[in-house]
Amino acid sequence: MAGSLSAFLTEVDLLDLLNDIPGGCKTADDPFFSEGNKLLKPFVKQGVISFGDEEELHKKNYVLCNVPGCNKEFHSVYEYESHYNSLHRYLCHQCKKCLPTPHFLDLHILEQHDSYFSVLAQHKPMFACFLEECKQMSATPEERKDHCIRIHKFPSNFRFETSPAVLSKGKKERKDSQQSDVAMEETSKSEVASKVPKNFSFGHQKQKVFDSKSYARILARKHKKETEMECENVSALEDSKTVEDLMESLPS
Amino acid sequence: MTSNDISESTQRLREKIRVFQAAERNSRREDDTDSMRLGLGEISQLIEELENLTEKDVTGLASRIKRKKHASYDDMFRLSHAFLQSVENIATFVKIPGALNVIVKELTGSDAKSQVIACETLCNLSLGDSVPCEKIATAAGSYLITHLDSSELRLKRTSLWVLTNILATDGKGISTLLSQEIASKLVHLYLECKYPELEDDILLAIDILLEKDANVIDANDQSKLYDSLRTKQPHKGLHLNVLFMILFRANSVSLETENFERTSELVEIAINTLNAAEHLNSQDNILKVLYSIRILGNLFAKCPDCFVAVEKLCPSLSSLVNKVLSWNNKTINKELLWLVKNTISCQTALNRPGNVLKELQVSRLTIF
């Protein structure tokens, strides 16, 4: 019994021990907790591995996507669900565009299909940031794009950009640059190009098709002629009237 | 023995079996999901027959996807496995300009399967050092954060894993993600999470963020997170860890402004966790015990009034302390004695009779 008692610290021993331990409130980075923190395993980065064999199990099951106009076939329900969640979950019912998240769908519907929004957007900043957590409102889609690139370090060619204005501008810029490149090339080759005839014809000089441009040209010419004739008639009438007036003014 | 007694005991047995089976199912599920994840180089040890992909193979694959401006499932699978095999493969891939952009293109494309595989490839690429992590954050950070809102669970979870790996790596990657409001996004994701299996992963990412800098999560979000953690009855060590970090590191959820009811709830969580703990054989149990002690100790030091809640919940605190002391863990015992010291100060402040020290059984062998 005495042996077992001696195995434990007495009250006096404990009091001495407690005097050595600092009391009070401590934060997680306090040196007192450093030994305890060593008990906790640090986070180890982990990758992910997929097992391709799993697909073999589902090979005979075919699932059809029943969304009108899709009709894709899948080997497993999982694949179908995955496809549906990625492509048909956040779908704009008006223009059938698929968006990746509910936030992007909200933005799309507001900006593309809401006339009240377009009226308001003329008076105050209405274009919300692509990040749901950011409350910044921009006056134009371009301003929003700038904000996202500058503040949130988005890539300049952000692929989930929904506004057609920004998209078409980007495309236009690319097209313009391409055209200017082409133009530069063309000016250098202009002398050569001018000597080359536009088209060759072997036997049949006129193309046997409906040429809308030439037809329009003929119509325009005809219209011009008619207007000229009308003008001539009007001037002739005016001339005859003046002659009559003069005749009347002469003394009898 | 009456029939009533028998039915009661049978019911108890059935309940116990049910609880045991639920725990078994949970642990198996965890094992299964864990088997999907591997550390750098582990794949070669586990699967010996696996094709050994060298830096030359990675260069070939990267050039191929660059030339085609498209990466097939097979290309991405092979790249993914190559990244898991060695850090040299990762470094080789990162050095090839334009190859990463092809993977990012697949991540944002319209093929659901391709999106998931591209995300897995990025996850394995993020096993590298700060350079690949920075590149992923710059080229794909915004898309990965967008995919956190995806209704496709696998894509959502893998995106979260990539982001967690980047957060765990020192470098510019973290600042890029922080500028994309990842802190706020993670908190909202946790608050609105419908998948219990995802909650732990989100909390792990939040924990890593808090470890780096507690102030990256703003006061409002911290308060929401704290409320959610408190009401969800944290049953895992990680939950207690984040709760402790928010309370005693971030310093935005001030305990002085907390009312008695709320601090009592915190005491209840800590006492219940200590009561339920039976050993220290797992990381989760160590986390649970350690953070319960830390939360109780700090609560006693900051709000002595909460000791009233302890008296109600656990009339004999010394027996609970003795239980933990009996596990003979020197480090935990040291922190336990700090809790005892704070308890004594608490009792003195509230003029409570009794002496905890008399009932304590502290073994000489397990103290320092």
Side-chain angles (χ1 to χ4, degrees):
Chain A
M1 188 74 185
S4 67
L5 274 174
S6 62
F8 299 113
L9 294 177
T10 60
E11 201 180 329
V12 182
D13 292 338
L14 274 172
L15 270 174
D16 284 343
L17 198 63
L18 289 184
N19 282 335
D20 295 338
I21 294 172
C25 186
K26 295 184 192 307
T27 55
D29 45 3
D30 194 285
F32 179 75
F33 289 149
S34 58
E35 261 183 67
N37 289 341
K38 282 176 194 164
L39 287 178
L40 315 171
K41 280 181 198 163
F43 173 75
V44 180
K45 291 204 284 185
Q46 282 191 310
V48 62
I49 182 166
S50 311
F51 301 102
D53 298 345
E54 203 181 330
E55 285 169 24
E56 300 294 320
L57 301 170
H58 306 287
K59 256 193 171 168
K60 283 176 185 172
N61 302 329
Y62 291 102
V63 186
L64 266 176
C65 177
N66 57 357
V67 174
C70 185
N71 294 331
K72 259 198 161 188
E73 222 172 55
F74 302 95
H75 294 307
S76 68
V77 177
Y78 169 73
E79 271 186 26
Y80 164 66
E81 276 185 351
S82 178
H83 160 82
Y84 185 87
N85 283 331
S86 300
L87 292 184
H88 305 304
R89 177 70 67 190
Y90 305 114
L91 193 74
C92 171
H93 284 280
Q94 210 158 330
C95 63
K96 308 292 174 219
K97 186 171 180 166
C98 176
L99 284 307
T101 64
H103 177 62
F104 277 94
L105 181 61
D106 276 349
L107 291 184
H108 168 81
I109 292 170
L110 268 177
E111 292 168 18
Q112 308 304 321
H113 308 300
D114 191 341
S115 48
Y116 183 62
F117 173 91
S118 52
V119 173
L120 277 180
Q122 288 170 3
H123 298 99
K124 59 176 183 177
M126 287 291 287
F127 291 89
C129 180
F130 289 133
L131 285 176
E132 205 176 346
E133 283 69 30
C134 175
K135 302 296 169 210
Q136 167 81 22
M137 297 297 243
S138 308
T140 58
E142 290 85 358
E143 198 182 302
R144 172 177 57 192
K145 194 181 171 185
D146 280 350
H147 160 80
C148 283
I149 293 171
R150 210 163 20 85
I151 308 292
H152 304 307
K153 300 193 174 79
F154 270 41
S156 54
N157 61 339
F158 186 60
R159 287 170 216 265
F160 300 145
E161 167 72 73
T162 51
S163 172
V166 178
L167 279 176
S168 60
K169 196 187 166 192
K171 277 180 189 171
K172 202 182 167 189
E173 276 170 7
R174 252 176 284 152
K175 211 175 174 183
D176 285 347
S177 63
Q178 278 173 2
Q179 274 177 351
S180 63
D181 291 343
V182 173
M184 279 172 76
E185 279 176 24
E186 275 178 358
T187 45
S188 62
K189 291 174 187 172
S190 58
E191 287 171 21
V192 184
S194 61
K195 287 170 191 170
V196 180
K198 271 187 177 176
N199 44 24
F200 300 98
S201 59
F202 300 98
H204 303 285
Q205 279 196 331
K206 282 187 179 177
Q207 285 178 318
K208 289 179 179 176
V209 287
F210 292 107
D211 185 355
S212 56
K213 279 182 188 172
S214 59
Y215 184 66
R217 240 179 279 136
I218 293 164
L219 275 178
R221 227 178 287 147
K222 199 177 171 187
H223 182 70
K224 203 179 167 186
K225 224 178 219 178
E226 280 172 4
T227 46
E228 275 174 7
M229 278 182 61
E230 272 175 20
C231 288
E232 276 173 19
N233 287 340
V234 170
S235 60
L237 277 170
E238 277 173 0
D239 287 347
S240 62
K241 269 185 184 176
T242 48
V243 170
E244 276 175 15
D245 289 343
L246 279 170
M247 289 284 280
E248 277 176 13
S249 63
L250 284 171
S252 55
Chain B
M1 245 189 187
T2 61
S3 61
N4 245 355
D5 288 336
I6 293 165
S7 68
E8 201 177 300
S9 57
T10 316
Q11 271 178 352
R12 274 188 188 173
L13 262 176
R14 280 181 183 161
E15 185 58 33
K16 217 166 188 183
I17 292 167
R18 223 172 279 140
V19 169
F20 174 76
Q21 281 181 337
E24 185 74 7
R25 267 200 305 275
N26 265 334
S27 80
R28 280 195 184 169
R29 194 181 301 145
E30 275 169 17
D31 285 349
D32 281 351
T33 45
D34 275 356
S35 70
M36 272 187 72
R37 299 202 71 191
L38 291 172
L40 195 68
E42 272 181 60
I43 192 168
S44 309
Q45 294 158 16
L46 279 173
I47 314 165
E48 284 171 3
E49 311 86 53
L50 193 85
E51 181 191 9
N52 188 28
L53 292 158
T54 61
E55 292 163 53
K56 204 177 165 187
D57 297 318
V58 173
T59 313
L61 278 167
S63 322
R64 198 165 97 170
I65 61 171
K66 257 182 78 179
R67 195 175 57 248
K68 285 183 182 173
K69 289 180 183 171
H70 160 72
S72 66
Y73 301 153
D74 193 45
D75 291 336
M76 287 194 282
F77 265 129
R78 281 165 66 85
L79 276 172
S80 195
H81 284 188
F83 298 152
L84 266 181
Q85 282 176 10
S86 76
V87 76
E88 287 78 22
N89 287 348
I90 294 173
T92 309
F93 182 81
V94 170
K95 276 179 201 161
I96 299 165
L100 179 63
N101 289 339
V102 181
I103 305 289
V104 176
K105 193 182 159 195
E106 296 300 329
L107 179 77
T108 55
S110 56
D111 184 350
K113 195 175 172 183
S114 198
Q115 280 183 354
V116 175
I117 300 170
C119 200
E120 286 180 359
T121 312
L122 289 181
C123 186
N124 293 349
L125 188 66
S126 68
L127 293 178
D129 56 8
S130 60
V131 179
C133 288
E134 277 168 35
K135 290 208 171 183
I136 298 170
T138 313
S142 52
Y143 305 118
L144 290 168
I145 290 175
T146 305
H147 285 320
L148 287 181
D149 285 330
S150 171
S151 45
E152 166 55 31
L153 181 61
R154 202 167 149 199
L155 183 63
K156 190 181 183 126
R157 198 175 52 186
T158 318
S159 299
L160 182 63
W161 287 345
V162 187
L163 292 167
T164 310
N165 281 349
I166 298 172
L167 290 176
T169 315
D170 291 325
K172 283 181 194 166
I174 303 174
S175 62
T176 307
L177 293 182
L178 284 175
S179 72
Q180 290 165 355
E181 305 278 347
I182 188 161
S184 187
K185 172 60 84 188
L186 286 173
V187 173
H188 290 179
L189 202 64
Y190 179 73
L191 298 178
E192 291 155 14
C193 187
K194 293 169 196 158
Y195 310 99
E197 64 267 36
L198 204 67
E199 277 186 0
D200 287 351
D201 288 336
I202 303 169
L203 273 187
L204 184 64
I206 292 175
D207 183 39
I208 291 169
L209 258 183
L210 286 171
E211 286 270 0
K212 299 269 174 198
D213 181 6
N215 296 319
V216 292
I217 299 180
D218 70 46
N220 191 25
D221 282 340
Q222 273 187 28
S223 170
K224 281 180 192 168
L225 183 64
Y226 166 65
D227 282 338
S228 171
L229 278 167
R230 202 167 42 83
T231 49
K232 275 185 185 174
Q233 289 294 319
H235 57 280
K236 284 199 173 180
L238 188 63
H239 300 187
L240 288 172
N241 182 7
V242 175
L243 202 60
F244 180 80
M245 289 290 216
I246 292 172
L247 278 172
F248 303 109
R249 186 160 176 169
N251 246 353
S252 63
V253 181
S254 173
L255 278 172
E256 278 82 0
T257 57
E258 286 281 307
N259 58 28
F260 177 72
E261 207 176 302
R262 279 185 158 197
T263 41
S264 303
E265 272 180 24
L266 283 172
V267 168
E268 193 181 338
I269 289 167
I271 293 280
N272 286 346
T273 313
L274 278 179
N275 267 328
E278 284 177 1
H279 41 70
L280 290 174
N281 63 351
S282 71
Q283 175 72 9
D284 188 48
N285 280 342
I286 293 173
L287 270 174
K288 274 185 202 169
V289 172
L290 207 60
Y291 280 103
S292 298
I293 293 170
R294 288 177 183 184
I295 287 173
L296 272 181
N298 274 348
L299 281 175
F300 289 167
K302 276 208 157 184
C303 335
D305 288 344
C306 68
F307 191 72
V308 181
V310 180
E311 287 172 329
K312 274 185 195 169
L313 283 163
C314 179
S316 171
L317 186 68
S318 49
S319 61
L320 190 64
V321 173
N322 281 338
K323 185 180 99 172
V324 182
L325 280 169
S326 69
W327 294 331
N328 295 333
N329 186 305
K330 281 185 184 176
T331 315
I332 286 182
N333 286 358
K334 188 183 161 189
E335 295 199 11
L336 207 56
L337 286 176
W338 163 72
L339 170 66
V340 170
K341 189 172 184 175
N342 283 358
T343 312
I344 293 168
S345 333
C346 224
Q347 280 180 320
T348 319
L350 294 171
N351 287 324
R352 289 289 192 272
N355 191 350
V356 191
L357 292 180
K358 270 184 188 170
E359 293 156 18
L360 283 189
Q361 293 182 327
V362 185
S363 166
R364 286 179 194 279
L365 296 171
T366 55
I367 293 298
F368 318 113

